[in-house]
C-alpha cells in the first residue's frame, strides 16, 4: 500500500514539476516576444549630490510592459532572463537604449550627465559581453558614455576574470559601481583588488541608519574606508529626511531614493528632472 502511495506522490510531484517547467517555458517565450515586440522599456531614477542636492546622474531600470500583466518589475523576470540566457540580448538592448538616451539628454540638457546601467552576473560572465560593450561604447569612450552597476557577490567568484572585464569596461570610459554593497560576503579589503570607482550602500543599511548607533557606526565605517580607498559612495533607498541628514553627516557623496526621486520613464525624467533643473531650485 505504501508503495502505491509513494508512486502517487511521485506522480503528483511530476505534475507539479511539469507545471513549473511549463510556466518557466511560458515566461521564456513571453520574454522572447517582449524583446521582439518592444515591450521592454527603461525607467530612470535620479541620483543627487548629498551636500548640494543637485542632480548627479541617473540609473536606468528595466521594466516590462506586459500586454496582460501591465508593468512588470525586474525582480519578477530577471532570474528567468538569466536562466534562459536571454539576459545577453536583453542586456545589450539595455546598454544601447541607455546610451541613446544619455547622448540625447547630454545634447539637449546637460553635457556631462551620467547614466548608469545594471549588469547581471550572467551577462558580465558571458564570453561576448565585453566585445558587445566595445562595439557599442568604443565610439564614445572619450566621453564616459555609461556607468556600470554590478552586484558585489558576483565579482568574487572568479576574481581574475572579473578584474579583466572591469578593466575592459573602464577602458571604454565606464565608471564601475558596486551595487547593493553590504549584502554579499565580501569586504572592502577584498574589493580593493577590483577596479572600482564607487560603492552603493544597500537600502537595508540606509533604512537601519536611524534605528540606532550601531547601524550608523557600520555605515560610517564603510563610507570612511571607501573614501580612504579612493571610492565614492552612494546611499540607495533613501526615504526620509532623517536618513538624508545621517548620510550627510557620515559624508556620503551621492543619494538616491524615493524621497528624492522615483524611477520614471524617459519622458517624465526629461520634463520633471532635466528641463526644470537649470532654471528652478525645486530639488533644493
Ligand atoms: P538595484 O540596481 O539595486 O536598483 C534599486 C531598486 O530599488 C530599484 O528597483 C528601485 O526602484 C528601488 N528603489 C529605489 N529607491 C528606493 C526607495 O527609496 N525605496 C524602495 N523601497 N525602493 C527603492 P527595481 O527597479 O525593481 O529593480 C530591482 C533590481 O533589478 C535592481 O536593483 C537591479 O539589480 C535589477 N535591474 C534593474 N534593471 C536592470 C537591468 O537593466 N539589467 C539587470 N541585469 N538588472 C536590472
Ligand atoms: Mg543598481
Ligand atoms: Mg542597488
Ligand atoms: Mg539594492
Amino acid at each position: 500500500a505504501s508503495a502505491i502511495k509513494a508512486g502517487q506522490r511521485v506522480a503528483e510531484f511530476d505534475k507539479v514539476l511539469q507545471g513549473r517547467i511549463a510556466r518557466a517555458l511560458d515566461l521564456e517565450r513571453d520574454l522572447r516576444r517582449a524583446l521582439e515586440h518592444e515591450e521592454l522599456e527603461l525607467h530612470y531614477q535620479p541620483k543627487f549630490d548629498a551636500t548640494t542636492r543637485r542632480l548627479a546622474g541617473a540609473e536606468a531600470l528595466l521594466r516590462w510592459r506586459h500586454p496582460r500583466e501591465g508593468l512588470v518589475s525586474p525582480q519578477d523576470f530577471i532570474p528567468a532572463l538569466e536562466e534562459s540566457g536571454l539576459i545577453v540580448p536583453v542586456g545589450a538592448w539595455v546598454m544601447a537604449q541607455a546610451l541613446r538616451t544619455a547622448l540625447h539628454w547630454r545634447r539637449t540638457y546637460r553635457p556631462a550627465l551620467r547614466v548608469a546601467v545594471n549588469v547581471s552576473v550572467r551577462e558580465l560572465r558571458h564570453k561576448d559581453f565585453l566585445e558587445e560593450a566595445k562595439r557599442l561604447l568604443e565610439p564614445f569612450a572619450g566621453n564616459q558614455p555609461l556607468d556600470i552597476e554590478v552586484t558585489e557577490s558576483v565579482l568574487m567568484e572568479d576574481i581574475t576574470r572579473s578584474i579583466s572585464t572591469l578593466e575592459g569596461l573602464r577602458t571604454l570610459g565606464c565608471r564601475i559601481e558596486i551595487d547593493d554593497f553590504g549584502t554579499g560576503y565580501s569586504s572592502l579589503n577584498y574589493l580593493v583588488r577590483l577596479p572600482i570607482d564607487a560603492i552603493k550602500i544597500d537600502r537595508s543599511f540606509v533604512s537601519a541608519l536611524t534605528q540606532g548607533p550601531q547601524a550608523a557606526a557600520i555605515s560610517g565605517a564603510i563610507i570612511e574606508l571607501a573614501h580612504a580607498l579612493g571610492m565614492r559612495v552612494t546611499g540607495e533607498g533613501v526615504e526620509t529626511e532623517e536618513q538624508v541628514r545621517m548620510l550627510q553627516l557620515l559624508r556620503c557623496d551621492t543619494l538616491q531614493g524615493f524621497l528624492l526621486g522615483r524611477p520614471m520613464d524617459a519622458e517624465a525624467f526629461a520634463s520633471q528632472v532635466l528641463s526644470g533643473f537649470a532654471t528652478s531650485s525645486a530639488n533644493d
Side-chain angles (χ1 to χ4, degrees):
S2 74
I4 294 174
K5 257 190 194 159
Q8 273 173 346
R9 232 176 282 145
V10 169
E12 264 161 43
F13 181 72
D14 260 6
K15 240 191 268 165
V16 171
L17 200 65
Q18 273 165 15
R20 215 174 271 167
I21 291 168
R23 276 198 303 281
L25 289 176
D26 271 359
L27 183 58
E28 189 179 329
R29 192 201 54 214
D30 278 8
L31 279 164
R32 275 185 208 286
R33 192 207 55 220
L35 192 58
E36 280 158 21
H37 292 72
E38 302 178 354
E39 291 167 16
L40 299 179
E41 52 188 80
L42 291 181
H43 284 203
Y44 296 85
Q45 186 179 25
K47 302 179 184 184
F48 297 93
D49 182 284
T51 26
T52 63
R53 293 223 199 175
R54 299 193 118 224
L55 184 69
E59 174 179 7
L61 293 160
L62 188 58
R63 299 288 181 266
W64 178 11
R65 202 167 285 281
H66 193 283
R68 290 184 312 276
E69 314 278 334
L71 209 57
V72 184
S73 129
Q75 248 114 18
D76 297 332
F77 65 89
I78 284 192
L81 285 179
E82 294 196 322
E83 270 149 41
S84 62
L86 279 170
I87 192 69
V88 176
V90 168
W93 178 85
V94 168
M95 243 189 209
Q97 184 66 27
L99 177 65
R100 200 176 309 139
T101 304
L103 294 174
H104 168 59
W105 284 347
R106 285 175 178 186
R107 265 196 315 272
T108 316
Y109 307 100
R110 310 240 322 200
L113 185 76
R114 315 200 62 102
V115 176
V117 296
N118 291 280
V119 171
S120 90
V121 195
R122 291 276 176 109
E123 228 177 316
L124 197 81
R125 290 251 185 282
H126 194 274
K127 60 174 175 42
D128 300 333
F129 172 76
L130 197 56
E131 224 25 69
E132 180 65 17
K134 265 190 196 144
R135 197 183 61 75
L136 266 169
L137 303 179
E138 207 144 54
F140 311 97
N143 288 313
Q144 305 200 293
L146 288 177
D147 294 337
I148 304 287
E149 296 190 7
V150 51
T151 310
E152 59 167 325
S153 53
V154 181
L155 300 165
M156 297 307 161
E157 284 162 22
D158 183 352
I159 194 160
T160 320
R161 186 138 149 243
S162 295
I163 291 173
S164 86
T165 307
L166 296 181
E167 293 285 9
L169 286 169
R170 259 193 171 171
T171 307
L172 295 169
C174 301
R175 216 152 63 173
I176 312 296
E177 299 185 42
I178 299 302
D179 212 337
D180 304 337
F181 186 84
T183 56
Y185 299 102
S186 52
S187 64
L188 270 170
N189 180 41
Y190 201 28
L191 284 182
V192 155
R193 295 176 56 194
L194 296 165
I196 293 163
D197 302 284
I199 61 170
K200 297 185 77 175
I201 297 187
D202 191 63
R203 184 168 84 228
S204 55
F205 283 83
V206 172
S207 66
L209 261 186
T210 49
Q211 283 157 23
Q214 270 168 343
I218 292 171
S219 291
I222 292 175
I223 293 169
E224 215 172 296
L225 192 49
H227 282 165
L229 297 171
M231 300 170 190
R232 294 175 62 77
V233 182
T234 298
E236 62 175 9
V238 177
E239 293 180 344
T240 68
E241 284 295 345
E242 207 185 344
Q243 290 166 356
V244 172
R245 274 194 297 279
M246 281 302 287
L247 288 166
Q248 284 173 333
L249 213 65
L250 299 173
R251 306 231 181 286
C252 188
D253 304 283
T254 311
L255 304 178
Q256 195 180 17
F258 290 171
L259 175 76
L260 305 157
R262 287 185 173 256
M264 53 193 115
D265 64 36
E267 219 173 287
F269 193 91
S271 67
Q272 290 172 35
V273 182
L274 289 170
S275 62
F277 184 80
T279 49
S280 86
S281 54
N283 294 316
D284 289 306

